[in-house]
Amino acid sequence: MSTHTEQQAPQGQEPLDINAPGVTRFDVVREGARRDDIEIVHYEQQVLPGTKAERRLTRVVAGLFLITGLSATAFLAIYIWWPWQYEPGRGGDKFYTPLLGFTLGVALLAVGFGILTWGKKLLPKEVSIQDRHEGAVDSEGRTITGQTMLYMADELGVKRRPLLGISLLAGLAPVGAVVAAPLVGGLISQPHKNNQMFTTGFAAAGSGERIRLVREDGRPVRPADISTGGQLTVFPGIENGVSNEHADSPTLLIHLRDSDAQDSRRANERIGHGDFMWGNYAAFSKICTHAGCPASLFEQQTNRLLCPCHQSQFLITDNARPVFGPASRRLPQLPIEVDSEGFFVAKSDYTETVGPDFWERP
């Protein structure tokens, strides 16, 4: 391909016959610029075709695109096969999210640097000035536009530098798969396997079995332990129930005043939870439904429970309905009663998912 340096738009000459024999594609481009009142102030190749500099830059860009492809492929492999479900201890699941972030970051950085290097080092430099004008486009104008686009494709150098095209395809194809991966991930592995998003440490409650509500030190709780208007954080009385293994289980046990308890029972009956309270006591998940922070600041005069992270407020006497802040879903309520020994127990697990909303929620 010929090199065009410091080309000036012809001035004061007859229009070029773009269909004449011997007219090059660049001649058509230059004629199109002249007809559009464009002055090509500066135009030059940055590297000459066939030189060592061109081959070196081609290898650099191709290498960056190949790094993109390898990183995106690694992302897909980790996304599909790496263990992702939480397990206590130091299992491989701890590296799942960091590895996804690292491989995706390397892929995006590599493709970005590859495109920048291609544009800054391999493509010609051009400075053009165009006067604004209006008018319909004739058939020759359309021909000129098409030839200009083809000339731009030529200047990309993909035909002359096939390594660039191959590496670009090899790099961007896995990136496209990365975009689609989260959409088809549920088809690869059942996201609700073992129902892990819908159970807590109280899951064993029900079917005749009751799980006691215990303090952080493991002691069970009696009604007399909580004064009127008071509250206490409780946990499932099972092995490791007070540990991070059951971090979704902290519950706020609240002793309501008589009138407030009546309002709460009526609100429960409206949604079919008439038997969730025991006397004037109600238990709600302590995990905010907005971002998972501990909603534990109870204001007994207004019966509002405040989450200190983003100031969401829940009205306890109305099924812990959110009345302020970003939370959009009420706190799930735990059905409770007192066993034969006088200790609080859970009659079943939460009937709704605890914690923040997630996209799989039915």
Side-chain angles (χ1 to χ4, degrees):
M1 181 179 294
S2 61
T3 302
H4 310 282
T5 305
E6 299 292 344
Q7 298 287 347
Q8 297 293 329
Q11 300 294 332
Q13 71 174 41
E14 293 296 324
L16 176 70
D17 183 0
I18 62 173
N19 297 311
V23 175
T24 66
R25 183 168 288 162
F26 184 78
D27 291 335
V28 176
V29 172
R30 183 171 56 185
E31 173 64 14
R34 187 189 68 80
R35 295 185 184 185
D36 284 339
D37 298 326
I38 298 175
E39 178 185 359
I40 301 178
V41 178
H42 181 78
Y43 188 96
E44 66 173 321
Q45 296 280 1
Q46 298 197 73
V47 291
L48 296 177
T51 61
K52 290 183 178 180
E54 183 192 41
R55 290 193 292 271
R56 182 178 65 255
L57 288 170
T58 299
R59 289 193 294 270
V60 170
V61 175
L64 289 169
F65 288 155
L66 290 176
I67 290 174
T68 298
L70 291 174
S71 299
T73 302
F75 177 97
L76 293 172
I78 294 168
Y79 183 85
I80 296 172
W81 289 293
W82 195 275
W84 60 273
Q85 289 180 295
Y86 171 78
E87 295 179 2
R90 298 180 177 271
D93 60 291
K94 307 302 184 296
F95 300 100
Y96 180 72
T97 300
L99 285 175
L100 288 180
F102 176 76
T103 52
L104 182 58
V106 170
L108 295 179
L109 282 174
V111 72
F113 280 116
I115 292 174
L116 285 174
T117 304
W118 193 345
K120 293 289 186 179
K121 299 297 184 181
L122 285 173
L123 296 183
K125 291 182 178 180
E126 178 182 342
V127 178
S128 301
I129 301 175
Q130 180 180 18
D131 295 331
R132 179 184 292 239
H133 65 281
E134 298 178 358
V137 180
D138 55 18
S139 60
E140 283 197 344
R142 291 192 291 270
T143 300
I144 290 172
T145 300
Q147 292 296 313
T148 300
M149 295 179 66
L150 292 173
Y151 183 77
M152 292 171 62
D154 287 343
E155 289 301 298
L156 288 175
V158 175
K159 290 183 179 180
R160 189 172 71 253
R161 308 160 185 148
L163 180 60
L164 287 180
I166 296 172
S167 61
L168 181 63
L169 179 62
L172 293 186
V175 172
V178 165
V179 174
L183 302 178
V184 299
L187 302 177
I188 299 173
S189 178
Q190 166 59 269
H192 300 151
K193 183 172 56 178
N194 301 326
N195 221 22
Q196 72 275 8
M197 297 297 292
F198 296 88
T199 59
T200 70
F202 294 102
S207 302
E209 184 178 358
R210 297 291 186 264
I211 300 296
R212 281 184 173 176
L213 278 56
V214 300
R215 296 178 175 85
E216 191 171 4
D217 59 7
R219 291 181 297 140
V221 181
R222 296 178 182 271
D225 295 336
I226 308 175
S227 60
T228 303
Q231 49 85 21
L232 180 68
T233 299
V234 294
F235 306 87
I238 59 175
E239 185 178 0
N240 299 321
V242 191
S243 69
N244 284 337
E245 183 176 345
H246 296 286
D248 54 0
S249 303
T251 300
L252 206 63
L253 181 60
I254 303 173
H255 185 179
L256 295 168
R257 295 184 292 266
D258 288 338
S259 59
D260 297 329
Q262 292 177 12
D263 293 338
S264 184
R265 277 192 290 271
R266 283 194 292 267
N268 278 4
E269 290 171 356
R270 287 197 299 268
I271 62 172
H273 291 177
D275 60 344
F276 274 39
M277 294 177 60
W278 184 86
N280 291 352
Y281 296 83
F284 293 92
S285 171
K286 193 176 178 179
I287 302 175
C288 181
T289 54
H290 169 236
C293 297
S296 57
L297 303 179
F298 180 61
E299 211 293 306
Q300 59 177 270
Q301 297 301 319
T302 61
N303 291 304
R304 292 191 178 193
L305 186 63
L306 171 68
C307 176
C309 290
H310 305 99
Q311 286 69 57
S312 292
Q313 295 182 24
F314 304 88
L315 185 58
I316 294 302
T317 54
D318 190 9
N319 307 119
R321 176 175 58 87
V323 293
F324 182 83
S328 60
R329 189 172 62 91
R330 65 188 183 88
L331 297 173
Q333 186 173 3
L334 183 71
I336 58 172
E337 63 181 8
V338 172
D339 64 13
S340 59
E341 297 183 31
F343 295 107
F344 278 111
V345 294
K347 295 193 291 185
S348 71
D349 198 357
Y350 286 99
T351 58
E352 302 173 60
T353 53
V354 303
D357 289 329
F358 54 96
W359 71 272
E360 299 99 335
R361 185 182 304 285

